[in-house]
Each structure stands twice: as structure tokens, then as C-alpha cells.
Amino acid sequence: MASILDDPTAAVAGIADGATVMIGGFGTAGQPVELIEALLASGATDLTVVNNNAGNGDVGLAALISAGRVRKIVCSYPRQRDSWHFDQKYRAGEIELELVPQGNLAERIRAAGAGIGAFYTPTGYGTSLAEGKEVREIDGRHYVLEYPLGADYALVKAHRADGLGNLVYRKTARNFGPIMAAAATTTVVQVEDLVPVGALDPEVIVTPGIYVDRIVRVPAPEPAPEPVGAGQ
């Protein structure tokens, strides 16, 4: 059964230097910012981070990278308009990058959670991403052998959880959360709402509680008040 904790600091306790940490999110959608901030405050360093991106702006994963806590990042989309902290570290040779096509990234994570030893994919064949990897021809098409990608910890954001750790996500914030939760040894989840057991419709539960180890409630921020006279 998942442990329900009082704050993000307690939720990330035990993440040691050198750990491999999966962080959910597609850009800022579904990024567990409060858990990342707690990880930053914990002082853990020399981390390998698995994420779709390499940080946005100055918060969350970008702040972790800026502070020099990330030794290596495994991602599919490292550069975008606001990835300046990753750009700076990479150009200075202060962070290692393993670039993985997005479909391969998702399937490697899923394979780790499903107990699949390896799989063949046509993605990347004939490019530098396939260098040094086993290649096989199947039915006239070439495939590259890829291996599962697991982690010591996964930091995931969900919309709701019950007391058993069953999770429901909010729209596109779901993204990598379910497969990362299954692929990590310890899965830590921040949720906006914690409900009693039985309150979630079993038909809408995406991640079963068996994959969840720690839960912390982080309420959604209150919407900013409308300026006086708005709408008149």
C-alpha cells in the first residue's frame, strides 16, 4: 500500500547521489514541479534524469539542471525556445545527453515496466542513433535492437489518488506518468486531490496502486482574481 506523506520533502527522501530519476511531463504539462523543487532542496546530485524534454524556463527540471545536479539527461526533445539552462550546460560540457526518439523513449520505459528484455524498432535505423547497436532484417525491413529503460525513482504528477494509490490523470498531463510509474523501483506521486478508497470509478483508473509507493497532496494553485471592472 502506498504511503501518504505530508509534504514533498518527505516524499523524495532517500533519493541518493547518482540515482536515476524519471520525471513525468511533456514540457510543462504534467511536470511534478513541487517534487522536483523538493529534490533540488534535498541536495541530491550526480543524477541521471529521464524526461521527454530538458527543462523549460527557470523552474522544475530546468532549475535542477541549472543547479548542476544533473550529470546526464535521457530525453527526446532537449532543445526548445526556453531550454536555455540545458543549452548552457551542454555547450560547456557540464551535462551528458542521450538522445532517444520519442517513440523509442516511451517504448523503452514501457518495456522496463512490462518485463520485456528488449525489442526491435525501425526508428533510428541508418542514423547515428543506431551506431553500435544490433540490427536485424525482418520481412525485408531493417530494425534496431533497443533495451528497456528503468529507474530508481519516478516522480509523477496525477490529478487524483485514493488511499490505495490508484491514480487518475488530467487530460494531456497524463503523458509519461503511467509508464514511468511502472518502470521505477520507487514511484513518488503528487496529486491535486486525495479521495477515500472506493471514490474513484474503477473504469477511469489509469495507474493501479500496486505501482505507487508514495503520495503527497499538492493542491492546485488558486486562480488569480479578476481585475476590478473586468468584463464590464
Side-chain angles (χ1 to χ4, degrees):
M1 182 180 295
S3 300
I4 299 174
L5 303 168
D6 294 329
D7 61 76
T9 300
V12 302
I15 300 181
D17 294 352
T20 297
V21 183
M22 289 179 173
I23 298 178
F26 192 99
T28 58
Q31 185 175 169
V33 173
E34 288 78 6
L35 288 178
I36 301 170
E37 289 175 345
L39 179 60
L40 179 60
S42 77
T45 191
D46 198 35
L47 301 171
T48 296
V49 169
V50 181
N51 184 263
N52 185 66
N53 301 78
N56 303 83
D58 300 305
V59 299
L61 177 55
L64 197 66
I65 292 171
S66 176
R69 303 293 179 78
V70 181
R71 177 186 63 82
K72 176 182 178 180
I73 188 157
V74 182
C75 71
S76 66
Y77 199 69
R79 297 193 67 220
Q80 60 268 354
R81 178 178 55 82
D82 58 353
S83 62
W84 44 75
H85 290 298
F86 169 78
D87 281 0
Q88 182 182 34
K89 294 289 184 183
Y90 186 72
R91 292 175 189 277
E94 297 174 356
I95 190 170
E96 181 182 347
L97 170 66
E98 180 180 344
L99 185 65
V100 183
Q102 192 173 81
N104 287 4
L105 180 67
E107 186 63 9
R108 288 180 64 191
I109 296 169
R110 191 196 70 82
I116 295 172
F119 62 92
Y120 285 99
T121 173
T123 304
Y125 173 75
T127 74
S128 59
L129 296 178
E131 290 179 1
K133 297 180 181 180
E134 180 182 331
V135 174
R136 178 173 295 187
E137 184 176 342
I138 303 173
D139 292 333
R141 191 176 187 186
H142 290 94
Y143 293 80
V144 180
L145 184 67
E146 296 284 357
Y147 289 93
L149 180 60
D152 302 306
Y153 290 85
L155 306 184
V156 173
K157 182 178 181 179
H159 184 44
R160 289 192 178 97
D162 65 15
L164 295 176
N166 297 307
L167 304 180
V168 174
Y169 299 85
R170 179 172 171 77
K171 300 181 180 180
T172 57
R174 170 175 169 174
N175 52 72
F176 285 86
I179 56 174
M180 287 184 171
T185 302
T186 300
T187 296
V188 184
V189 183
Q190 70 173 67
V191 297
E192 295 179 7
D193 197 13
L194 188 60
V195 300
V197 175
L200 296 178
D201 180 354
E203 294 296 329
V204 301
I205 291 171
V206 178
T207 297
I210 193 171
Y211 293 121
V212 177
D213 299 284
R214 305 174 189 174
I215 301 171
V216 59
R217 181 172 179 264
V218 180
E222 293 291 334
E226 291 189 8
V228 176
Q232 296 181 1

